[in-house]
Short mmCIF file of all heavy atoms in Angstrom, two decimals:
data_model
loop_
_atom_site.label_atom_id
_atom_site.label_comp_id
_atom_site.label_asym_id
_atom_site.label_seq_id
_atom_site.Cartn_x
_atom_site.Cartn_y
_atom_site.Cartn_z
N ILE A 663 80.59 7.50 -28.48
CA ILE A 663 80.64 8.59 -29.46
C ILE A 663 80.66 9.94 -28.73
O ILE A 663 81.45 10.82 -29.06
CB ILE A 663 79.45 8.50 -30.41
CG1 ILE A 663 79.59 7.23 -31.31
CG2 ILE A 663 79.34 9.75 -31.27
CD1 ILE A 663 78.34 6.90 -32.11
N VAL A 664 79.78 10.11 -27.75
CA VAL A 664 79.72 11.38 -27.04
C VAL A 664 81.04 11.69 -26.37
O VAL A 664 81.54 12.84 -26.43
CB VAL A 664 78.57 11.35 -26.00
CG1 VAL A 664 78.64 12.54 -25.06
CG2 VAL A 664 77.22 11.31 -26.71
N ARG A 665 81.67 10.70 -25.74
CA ARG A 665 82.96 10.94 -25.09
C ARG A 665 84.03 11.34 -26.12
O ARG A 665 84.81 12.26 -25.90
CB ARG A 665 83.43 9.68 -24.35
CG ARG A 665 82.67 9.38 -23.07
CD ARG A 665 83.43 8.38 -22.21
NE ARG A 665 83.70 7.13 -22.89
CZ ARG A 665 82.92 6.06 -22.84
NH1 ARG A 665 81.78 6.12 -22.14
NH2 ARG A 665 83.23 4.95 -23.48
N GLY A 666 84.06 10.64 -27.25
CA GLY A 666 85.06 10.93 -28.25
C GLY A 666 84.87 12.28 -28.91
O GLY A 666 85.85 13.01 -29.16
N VAL A 667 83.63 12.65 -29.17
CA VAL A 667 83.33 13.95 -29.79
C VAL A 667 83.74 15.07 -28.83
O VAL A 667 84.30 16.09 -29.25
CB VAL A 667 81.84 14.05 -30.16
CG1 VAL A 667 81.47 15.48 -30.55
CG2 VAL A 667 81.54 13.10 -31.31
N ALA A 668 83.48 14.89 -27.54
CA ALA A 668 83.85 15.92 -26.55
C ALA A 668 85.35 16.17 -26.54
O ALA A 668 85.80 17.27 -26.23
CB ALA A 668 83.36 15.49 -25.16
N ARG A 669 86.13 15.14 -26.88
CA ARG A 669 87.59 15.27 -26.93
C ARG A 669 88.10 15.63 -28.32
O ARG A 669 89.31 15.69 -28.53
CB ARG A 669 88.23 13.95 -26.47
CG ARG A 669 87.90 13.57 -25.03
CD ARG A 669 88.30 12.15 -24.72
NE ARG A 669 87.86 11.76 -23.39
CZ ARG A 669 87.81 10.50 -22.95
NH1 ARG A 669 88.17 9.50 -23.76
NH2 ARG A 669 87.40 10.24 -21.73
N ASN A 670 87.18 15.86 -29.24
CA ASN A 670 87.55 16.17 -30.63
C ASN A 670 88.51 15.13 -31.20
O ASN A 670 89.48 15.45 -31.87
CB ASN A 670 88.17 17.57 -30.74
CG ASN A 670 88.39 17.99 -32.19
OD1 ASN A 670 87.68 17.56 -33.11
ND2 ASN A 670 89.40 18.82 -32.41
N ARG A 671 88.21 13.87 -30.95
CA ARG A 671 89.05 12.81 -31.49
C ARG A 671 88.87 12.73 -33.01
O ARG A 671 87.78 12.91 -33.54
CB ARG A 671 88.68 11.48 -30.86
CG ARG A 671 89.14 11.34 -29.41
CD ARG A 671 88.82 9.99 -28.84
NE ARG A 671 89.37 8.91 -29.65
CZ ARG A 671 89.11 7.63 -29.43
NH1 ARG A 671 88.31 7.28 -28.43
NH2 ARG A 671 89.61 6.72 -30.21
N ALA A 672 89.95 12.46 -33.70
CA ALA A 672 89.89 12.36 -35.15
C ALA A 672 89.08 11.16 -35.60
O ALA A 672 88.33 11.23 -36.58
CB ALA A 672 91.30 12.27 -35.74
N ARG A 673 89.21 10.06 -34.88
CA ARG A 673 88.52 8.82 -35.25
C ARG A 673 88.04 8.13 -33.99
O ARG A 673 88.77 7.98 -33.02
CB ARG A 673 89.47 7.92 -36.02
CG ARG A 673 88.83 6.62 -36.53
CD ARG A 673 89.89 5.70 -37.14
NE ARG A 673 90.54 6.31 -38.29
CZ ARG A 673 91.84 6.22 -38.54
NH1 ARG A 673 92.64 5.56 -37.73
NH2 ARG A 673 92.35 6.80 -39.63
N ILE A 674 86.77 7.70 -34.03
CA ILE A 674 86.18 6.92 -32.91
C ILE A 674 85.75 5.60 -33.51
O ILE A 674 84.75 5.53 -34.22
CB ILE A 674 85.00 7.66 -32.28
CG1 ILE A 674 85.42 9.06 -31.81
CG2 ILE A 674 84.43 6.87 -31.13
CD1 ILE A 674 84.25 9.94 -31.41
N SER A 675 86.53 4.55 -33.26
CA SER A 675 86.25 3.24 -33.86
C SER A 675 86.10 2.20 -32.76
O SER A 675 86.90 2.16 -31.82
CB SER A 675 87.37 2.84 -34.83
OG SER A 675 88.64 3.01 -34.23
N PHE A 676 85.10 1.38 -32.87
CA PHE A 676 84.80 0.39 -31.82
C PHE A 676 83.89 -0.68 -32.40
O PHE A 676 83.29 -0.48 -33.47
CB PHE A 676 84.12 1.09 -30.63
CG PHE A 676 82.84 1.83 -31.00
CD1 PHE A 676 81.61 1.18 -30.97
CD2 PHE A 676 82.87 3.17 -31.38
CE1 PHE A 676 80.43 1.83 -31.33
CE2 PHE A 676 81.68 3.84 -31.73
CZ PHE A 676 80.48 3.17 -31.70
N PRO A 677 83.79 -1.85 -31.71
CA PRO A 677 84.52 -2.27 -30.52
C PRO A 677 85.97 -2.63 -30.85
O PRO A 677 86.28 -2.95 -32.02
CB PRO A 677 83.71 -3.49 -30.03
CG PRO A 677 83.15 -4.06 -31.29
CD PRO A 677 82.83 -2.87 -32.17
N PHE A 678 86.82 -2.60 -29.85
CA PHE A 678 88.25 -2.74 -30.08
C PHE A 678 88.63 -4.02 -30.82
O PHE A 678 89.39 -3.96 -31.80
CB PHE A 678 89.00 -2.68 -28.73
CG PHE A 678 90.48 -2.88 -28.88
CD1 PHE A 678 91.29 -1.86 -29.35
CD2 PHE A 678 91.07 -4.11 -28.53
CE1 PHE A 678 92.66 -2.05 -29.50
CE2 PHE A 678 92.43 -4.29 -28.67
CZ PHE A 678 93.23 -3.26 -29.16
N PRO A 679 88.13 -5.20 -30.42
CA PRO A 679 88.58 -6.42 -31.14
C PRO A 679 88.23 -6.41 -32.62
O PRO A 679 89.03 -6.80 -33.47
CB PRO A 679 87.87 -7.57 -30.38
CG PRO A 679 87.48 -7.00 -29.07
CD PRO A 679 87.21 -5.54 -29.32
N LEU A 680 87.01 -5.95 -32.92
CA LEU A 680 86.58 -5.94 -34.32
C LEU A 680 87.32 -4.86 -35.10
O LEU A 680 87.66 -5.05 -36.28
CB LEU A 680 85.08 -5.71 -34.40
CG LEU A 680 84.44 -5.92 -35.77
CD1 LEU A 680 84.69 -7.32 -36.31
CD2 LEU A 680 82.93 -5.64 -35.72
N ASN A 681 87.60 -3.75 -34.45
CA ASN A 681 88.35 -2.68 -35.10
C ASN A 681 89.75 -3.17 -35.49
O ASN A 681 90.23 -2.93 -36.61
CB ASN A 681 88.47 -1.48 -34.18
CG ASN A 681 89.26 -0.34 -34.81
OD1 ASN A 681 89.00 0.08 -35.93
ND2 ASN A 681 90.26 0.15 -34.09
N VAL A 682 90.40 -3.87 -34.58
CA VAL A 682 91.75 -4.39 -34.87
C VAL A 682 91.69 -5.39 -36.02
O VAL A 682 92.51 -5.35 -36.96
CB VAL A 682 92.35 -5.04 -33.62
CG1 VAL A 682 93.64 -5.79 -33.97
CG2 VAL A 682 92.64 -3.99 -32.56
N GLY A 683 90.68 -6.26 -36.01
CA GLY A 683 90.56 -7.25 -37.07
C GLY A 683 90.32 -6.61 -38.42
O GLY A 683 90.91 -6.99 -39.43
N CYS A 684 89.44 -5.60 -38.46
CA CYS A 684 89.15 -4.92 -39.73
C CYS A 684 90.35 -4.12 -40.21
O CYS A 684 90.61 -4.03 -41.42
CB CYS A 684 87.93 -4.02 -39.57
SG CYS A 684 86.37 -4.90 -39.33
N TRP A 685 91.09 -3.53 -39.27
CA TRP A 685 92.29 -2.79 -39.64
C TRP A 685 93.31 -3.73 -40.30
O TRP A 685 93.93 -3.38 -41.30
CB TRP A 685 92.89 -2.14 -38.41
CG TRP A 685 94.16 -1.35 -38.69
CD1 TRP A 685 94.25 -0.08 -39.15
CD2 TRP A 685 95.50 -1.82 -38.50
NE1 TRP A 685 95.56 0.28 -39.27
CE2 TRP A 685 96.36 -0.76 -38.88
CE3 TRP A 685 96.06 -3.01 -38.05
CZ2 TRP A 685 97.74 -0.87 -38.83
CZ3 TRP A 685 97.43 -3.13 -38.00
CH2 TRP A 685 98.26 -2.07 -38.38
N TRP A 686 93.45 -4.95 -39.77
CA TRP A 686 94.37 -5.91 -40.35
C TRP A 686 93.93 -6.30 -41.76
O TRP A 686 94.78 -6.56 -42.62
CB TRP A 686 94.49 -7.15 -39.46
CG TRP A 686 95.59 -7.01 -38.44
CD1 TRP A 686 95.46 -6.86 -37.10
CD2 TRP A 686 96.99 -7.00 -38.71
NE1 TRP A 686 96.69 -6.73 -36.50
CE2 TRP A 686 97.66 -6.82 -37.47
CE3 TRP A 686 97.77 -7.11 -39.88
CZ2 TRP A 686 99.03 -6.77 -37.37
CZ3 TRP A 686 99.15 -7.05 -39.77
CH2 TRP A 686 99.77 -6.89 -38.53
N LEU A 687 92.63 -6.35 -42.01
CA LEU A 687 92.17 -6.65 -43.36
C LEU A 687 92.67 -5.62 -44.36
O LEU A 687 92.92 -5.93 -45.53
CB LEU A 687 90.65 -6.71 -43.41
CG LEU A 687 89.98 -7.91 -42.71
CD1 LEU A 687 88.46 -7.73 -42.72
CD2 LEU A 687 90.37 -9.23 -43.35
N ALA A 688 92.80 -4.37 -43.89
CA ALA A 688 93.30 -3.31 -44.76
C ALA A 688 94.81 -3.39 -44.95
O ALA A 688 95.35 -2.96 -45.97
CB ALA A 688 92.93 -1.93 -44.20
N VAL A 689 95.50 -3.95 -43.96
CA VAL A 689 96.97 -4.00 -43.99
C VAL A 689 97.49 -5.22 -44.73
O VAL A 689 98.49 -5.16 -45.46
CB VAL A 689 97.53 -3.98 -42.54
CG1 VAL A 689 99.03 -4.21 -42.53
CG2 VAL A 689 97.18 -2.67 -41.87
N LEU A 690 96.80 -6.35 -44.57
CA LEU A 690 97.23 -7.60 -45.20
C LEU A 690 97.11 -7.51 -46.72
O LEU A 690 96.36 -6.68 -47.24
CB LEU A 690 96.39 -8.76 -44.68
CG LEU A 690 96.58 -9.15 -43.21
CD1 LEU A 690 95.50 -10.15 -42.81
CD2 LEU A 690 97.97 -9.73 -42.97
N PRO A 691 97.80 -8.37 -47.45
CA PRO A 691 97.58 -8.44 -48.90
C PRO A 691 96.10 -8.68 -49.20
O PRO A 691 95.46 -9.48 -48.52
CB PRO A 691 98.45 -9.63 -49.33
CG PRO A 691 99.52 -9.69 -48.29
CD PRO A 691 98.88 -9.29 -47.01
N ALA A 692 95.60 -7.99 -50.20
CA ALA A 692 94.16 -8.02 -50.48
C ALA A 692 93.64 -9.43 -50.74
O ALA A 692 92.54 -9.80 -50.32
CB ALA A 692 93.84 -7.13 -51.66
N GLY A 693 94.44 -10.24 -51.42
CA GLY A 693 94.01 -11.61 -51.71
C GLY A 693 93.81 -12.42 -50.44
O GLY A 693 92.85 -13.19 -50.33
N LEU A 694 94.72 -12.25 -49.49
CA LEU A 694 94.59 -12.96 -48.21
C LEU A 694 93.37 -12.46 -47.45
O LEU A 694 92.63 -13.25 -46.86
CB LEU A 694 95.87 -12.77 -47.39
CG LEU A 694 95.87 -13.37 -45.99
CD1 LEU A 694 95.60 -14.88 -46.04
CD2 LEU A 694 97.21 -13.09 -45.28
N SER A 695 93.15 -11.15 -47.44
CA SER A 695 91.99 -10.60 -46.75
C SER A 695 90.70 -11.15 -47.33
O SER A 695 89.76 -11.48 -46.59
CB SER A 695 92.00 -9.08 -46.86
OG SER A 695 93.11 -8.53 -46.17
N GLN A 696 90.63 -11.28 -48.65
CA GLN A 696 89.43 -11.82 -49.28
C GLN A 696 89.20 -13.27 -48.87
O GLN A 696 88.05 -13.67 -48.62
CB GLN A 696 89.53 -11.71 -50.81
CG GLN A 696 89.45 -10.28 -51.34
CD GLN A 696 88.06 -9.69 -51.12
OE1 GLN A 696 87.06 -10.38 -51.26
NE2 GLN A 696 88.01 -8.41 -50.79
N ARG A 697 90.25 -14.05 -48.79
CA ARG A 697 90.10 -15.44 -48.36
C ARG A 697 89.64 -15.52 -46.91
O ARG A 697 88.80 -16.37 -46.55
CB ARG A 697 91.41 -16.20 -48.57
CG ARG A 697 91.74 -16.47 -50.03
CD ARG A 697 92.83 -17.52 -50.19
NE ARG A 697 94.12 -17.05 -49.69
CZ ARG A 697 95.01 -16.37 -50.40
NH1 ARG A 697 94.75 -16.06 -51.65
NH2 ARG A 697 96.16 -16.01 -49.86
N LEU A 698 90.17 -14.64 -46.06
CA LEU A 698 89.76 -14.63 -44.66
C LEU A 698 88.28 -14.25 -44.53
O LEU A 698 87.55 -14.86 -43.73
CB LEU A 698 90.62 -13.64 -43.88
CG LEU A 698 92.06 -14.05 -43.59
CD1 LEU A 698 92.85 -12.89 -43.00
CD2 LEU A 698 92.09 -15.26 -42.64
N LEU A 699 87.83 -13.27 -45.30
CA LEU A 699 86.44 -12.88 -45.24
C LEU A 699 85.51 -14.00 -45.67
O LEU A 699 84.44 -14.24 -45.08
CB LEU A 699 86.21 -11.63 -46.10
CG LEU A 699 86.71 -10.32 -45.51
CD1 LEU A 699 86.72 -9.22 -46.57
CD2 LEU A 699 85.88 -9.89 -44.31
N ALA A 700 85.89 -14.71 -46.72
CA ALA A 700 85.09 -15.84 -47.19
C ALA A 700 85.03 -16.94 -46.14
O ALA A 700 83.98 -17.53 -45.88
CB ALA A 700 85.65 -16.39 -48.49
N TRP A 701 86.17 -17.19 -45.49
CA TRP A 701 86.24 -18.22 -44.44
C TRP A 701 85.36 -17.85 -43.25
O TRP A 701 84.74 -18.71 -42.62
CB TRP A 701 87.70 -18.38 -44.02
CG TRP A 701 87.88 -19.33 -42.87
CD1 TRP A 701 87.76 -20.70 -42.88
CD2 TRP A 701 88.16 -18.98 -41.50
NE1 TRP A 701 88.01 -21.22 -41.62
CE2 TRP A 701 88.23 -20.18 -40.76
CE3 TRP A 701 88.41 -17.77 -40.85
CZ2 TRP A 701 88.53 -20.21 -39.41
CZ3 TRP A 701 88.70 -17.79 -39.51
CH2 TRP A 701 88.75 -18.99 -38.78
N MET A 702 85.26 -16.53 -42.95
CA MET A 702 84.47 -16.07 -41.79
C MET A 702 82.99 -15.95 -42.11
O MET A 702 82.20 -15.63 -41.23
CB MET A 702 85.01 -14.73 -41.31
CG MET A 702 86.38 -14.83 -40.63
SD MET A 702 86.94 -13.26 -39.90
CE MET A 702 87.27 -12.31 -41.37
N GLY A 703 82.59 -16.22 -43.35
CA GLY A 703 81.17 -16.21 -43.69
C GLY A 703 80.67 -14.96 -44.38
O GLY A 703 79.46 -14.75 -44.50
N TYR A 704 81.60 -14.12 -44.88
CA TYR A 704 81.19 -12.88 -45.55
C TYR A 704 81.27 -12.99 -47.07
O TYR A 704 81.05 -12.00 -47.76
CB TYR A 704 82.06 -11.71 -45.09
CG TYR A 704 81.87 -11.35 -43.64
CD1 TYR A 704 82.72 -11.82 -42.65
CD2 TYR A 704 80.80 -10.54 -43.26
CE1 TYR A 704 82.54 -11.50 -41.31
CE2 TYR A 704 80.59 -10.19 -41.92
CZ TYR A 704 81.48 -10.68 -40.96
OH TYR A 704 81.29 -10.36 -39.64
N GLY A 705 81.59 -14.15 -47.57
CA GLY A 705 81.70 -14.32 -49.03
C GLY A 705 80.41 -14.83 -49.64
O GLY A 705 79.46 -15.21 -48.94
N ARG A 706 80.39 -14.86 -50.94
CA ARG A 706 79.20 -15.33 -51.67
C ARG A 706 79.17 -16.84 -51.67
O ARG A 706 80.17 -17.51 -51.87
CB ARG A 706 79.25 -14.80 -53.11
CG ARG A 706 78.04 -15.19 -53.93
CD ARG A 706 78.14 -14.59 -55.33
NE ARG A 706 76.96 -14.87 -56.13
CZ ARG A 706 76.77 -14.40 -57.33
NH1 ARG A 706 77.68 -13.61 -57.90
NH2 ARG A 706 75.68 -14.72 -58.01
N ARG A 707 77.97 -17.38 -51.44
CA ARG A 707 77.81 -18.83 -51.48
C ARG A 707 77.82 -19.31 -52.94
O ARG A 707 77.28 -18.65 -53.82
CB ARG A 707 76.51 -19.26 -50.82
CG ARG A 707 76.45 -18.98 -49.32
CD ARG A 707 75.26 -19.66 -48.70
NE ARG A 707 74.01 -19.20 -49.29
CZ ARG A 707 73.32 -18.18 -48.83
NH1 ARG A 707 73.76 -17.47 -47.82
NH2 ARG A 707 72.18 -17.83 -49.41
#
């Protein structure tokens, strides 16, 4: 965060693998993203 703020970065998102995965959840069709989240353990039992 300190490094990114010093460079006045618009967005500081990390860690890289999780950021990419979450970004894809926003890009994919919402229905598919919901199924993926449930499969990964983030859905309601």
Side-chain angles (χ1 to χ4, degrees):
I663 293 169
V664 169
R665 287 196 303 267
V667 169
R669 297 168 186 165
N670 188 28
R671 288 182 54 187
R673 183 187 298 140
I674 304 169
S675 49
F676 58 89
F678 178 76
L680 190 58
N681 179 51
V682 171
C684 291
W685 179 83
W686 271 109
L687 289 174
V689 173
L690 292 170
L694 177 57
S695 296
Q696 290 293 322
R697 288 195 293 272
L698 287 171
L699 285 168
W701 175 73
M702 290 186 289
Y704 293 97
R706 182 178 183 176
R707 294 191 301 270

